[in-house]
Amino acid sequence: MKQNAFVFGDTKPHYELLDGLRGVAALLVIWYHVFEGFAASPMDQKFNHGYLAVDFFFILSGFVVGYAYDDRWGRSLTAKGFIKRRLIRLHPMVIAGAVLGTASFFIQGCQQWSGASVSPLWAVLAMLMTVFMIPAIPGTGPEVRGNGEMFPLNGPQWSLFFEYIGNILYALVIRKMSTKALKVLVAVSGICLAAFSIFNFSGYWNLGVGWSLSGYNFPGGFLRMSFAFSMGLLMSRNFRPVKIRGAFWICSVAVAVLLAIPYVGGTENSWMNGIYDALCTVVLFPAIVYLGASGTAGGNTTSGICRFLGDISYPVYIIHYPSMYLFYSWVWKNGLAFQQVWPVASGLFVGNIVLAYLFLKFYDEPVRKMLGRRFL
């Protein structure tokens, strides 16, 4: 199978198309968050299922981590070394997101969404907690925005919190599991995740959970990570590519459709949305990742697109939300509809891509290289 010359980890080439698909999903998340500013409830979201991109990311992460590291334990890799590599890969942009989120909060005047003033000291503490991956407890001082987020200065960081948990569990436990035991883990966690969605533990017949420590958010987020990350690992161990042409474009369209589709069933048959979410996470996303891993770029243009999208995917995801806070504040204070602000929303989309690329080239890559030389 043809793969590019870039490396994942130390020496292995990685899957170009999976890079590209990760980037496609990250860009779609921006639009999901844009439309979040105009939704009265999760059922009212116009770009409705963008939250499922997190499950897609977890599957991709499990697949590439398993591919890159599964055969290196006991030879050139220890648990400590693995954790160091993952911290170097992920944490510089976590810090960048925390700083941008803090700046956004100060620009807004250090106010909760309710309008209540917040001491700048609480904002500084929230920034430190964000940097060190310590989630805020709802209703406490560091939960500065007042809507229950784990990381109120950079909301999407909750998924990185669970990504870190998944990586730690992989290093300490899951990597040692036989393929048969891993299949059991995938089956049990998949059944539990489907039940969580179908029996409405979220309260909205969806899997948009994990972003808070309130209610069923934490167990729901843990289930999402447990199934998806383990499924990706299992697929990497048993991967046998199938022949497929145009895999990147087929899979990209499939991801876009699945994430953008309206709330299924409406208010009268909301249970249908629970089934839809379970079907996407347990069946359709693993199939898309499998097909994406099977395909090849098939040309310089597609290869370049996949490389670019893969490069910006993580920076886009982890730093775009602070600008969303400012966007929401402006929209809500002025009672604006999407039809009135779509040029600004489009500029926000393009601006976040440019910002992510600048952070990648002038901050993330140099810092990772420096840390790699120092600690690896």
Side-chain angles (χ1 to χ4, degrees):
M1 176 174 157
K2 186 179 178 181
Q3 298 165 317
N4 67 358
F6 291 97
V7 296
F8 185 93
D10 282 341
T11 58
K12 282 190 174 182
H14 62 263
Y15 294 90
E16 276 188 327
L17 268 63
L18 295 187
D19 289 345
L21 292 176
R22 187 173 62 247
V24 168
L27 296 183
L28 292 170
V29 167
I30 297 179
W31 283 112
Y32 169 70
H33 285 146
V34 165
F35 283 103
E36 198 172 41
F38 305 94
S41 75
M43 300 177 185
D44 198 35
Q45 242 276 25
K46 302 304 180 185
F47 200 96
N48 199 277
H49 289 86
Y51 55 86
L52 293 179
V54 170
D55 304 271
F56 188 67
F57 292 144
F58 284 152
I59 296 173
L60 285 171
S61 180
F63 188 96
V64 297
V65 165
Y67 165 71
Y69 296 110
D70 249 9
D71 61 354
R72 295 170 57 187
W73 295 98
R75 295 190 296 109
S76 60
L77 189 65
T78 63
K80 181 180 179 181
F82 172 78
I83 297 300
K84 285 198 296 184
R85 292 169 194 277
R86 299 306 289 157
L87 283 171
I88 290 171
R89 175 65 184 91
L90 298 173
H91 214 72
M93 289 307 301
V94 168
I95 295 172
V99 172
L100 289 175
T102 305
S104 172
F105 190 68
F106 275 95
I107 291 171
Q108 285 180 249
C110 289
Q111 289 185 337
Q112 294 186 340
W113 291 125
S114 65
S117 295
V118 176
S119 168
L121 293 177
W122 284 125
V124 172
L125 178 58
M127 181 184 73
L128 293 174
M129 291 175 66
T130 303
V131 166
F132 289 102
M133 280 285 181
I134 303 171
I137 299 173
T140 61
E143 200 265 287
V144 292
R145 293 192 183 273
N147 63 336
E149 290 172 285
M150 272 192 191
F151 300 98
L153 297 178
N154 193 16
Q157 188 170 317
W158 72 265
S159 62
L160 267 295
F161 175 78
F162 283 106
E163 173 80 13
Y164 277 32
I165 292 176
N167 278 258
I168 292 170
L169 289 176
Y170 168 73
L172 299 180
V173 180
I174 300 176
R175 69 174 177 86
K176 302 175 184 178
M177 297 174 67
S178 66
T179 300
K180 182 177 180 180
L182 186 57
K183 288 179 180 178
V184 173
L185 174 61
V186 169
V188 171
S189 58
I191 291 170
C192 291
L193 182 63
F196 187 97
S197 181
I198 294 171
F199 295 107
N200 194 29
F201 280 85
S202 72
Y204 291 100
W205 299 99
N206 69 20
L207 284 175
V209 293
W211 54 274
S212 174
L213 292 178
S214 64
Y216 285 99
N217 266 277
F218 187 87
F222 186 79
L223 274 176
R224 294 175 75 181
M225 179 277 297
S226 298
F227 167 74
F229 192 83
S230 299
M231 172 59 88
L233 288 171
L234 180 62
M235 288 196 299
S236 75
R237 288 189 183 182
N238 295 279
F239 183 65
R240 299 292 185 275
V242 296
K243 291 184 178 180
I244 178 172
R245 298 184 63 182
F248 172 68
W249 304 107
I250 293 171
C251 293
S252 294
V253 170
V255 169
V257 170
L258 292 175
L259 297 186
I261 198 167
Y263 191 86
V264 179
T267 55
E268 295 182 357
N269 296 292
S270 298
W271 56 271
M272 296 173 65
N273 199 75
I275 294 176
Y276 175 83
D277 280 13
L279 180 65
C280 284
T281 54
V282 176
V283 179
L284 298 181
F285 287 163
I288 291 172
V289 171
Y290 201 97
L291 291 177
S294 295
T296 58
N300 291 332
T301 300
T302 303
S303 178
I305 291 172
C306 288
R307 190 178 305 122
F308 175 76
L309 290 174
D311 286 347
I312 66 166
S313 59
Y314 177 52
V316 159
Y317 181 77
I318 201 63
I319 69 170
H320 80 277
Y321 209 64
S323 64
M324 292 297 164
Y325 288 126
L326 298 175
F327 179 69
Y328 297 158
S329 179
W330 173 61
V331 166
W332 295 344
K333 283 182 179 179
N334 294 281
L336 301 172
F338 179 74
Q339 292 79 1
Q340 297 172 282
V341 303
W342 68 264
V344 177
S346 300
L348 202 62
F349 176 73
V350 175
N352 272 297
I353 295 174
V354 173
L355 185 65
Y357 186 78
L358 293 175
F359 265 91
L360 172 73
K361 293 301 179 182
F362 296 104
Y363 166 70
D364 187 39
E365 289 182 344
V367 169
R368 282 192 281 133
K369 288 179 181 178
M370 181 269 292
L371 293 174
R373 288 194 297 267
R374 174 66 178 83
F375 295 104
L376 300 181

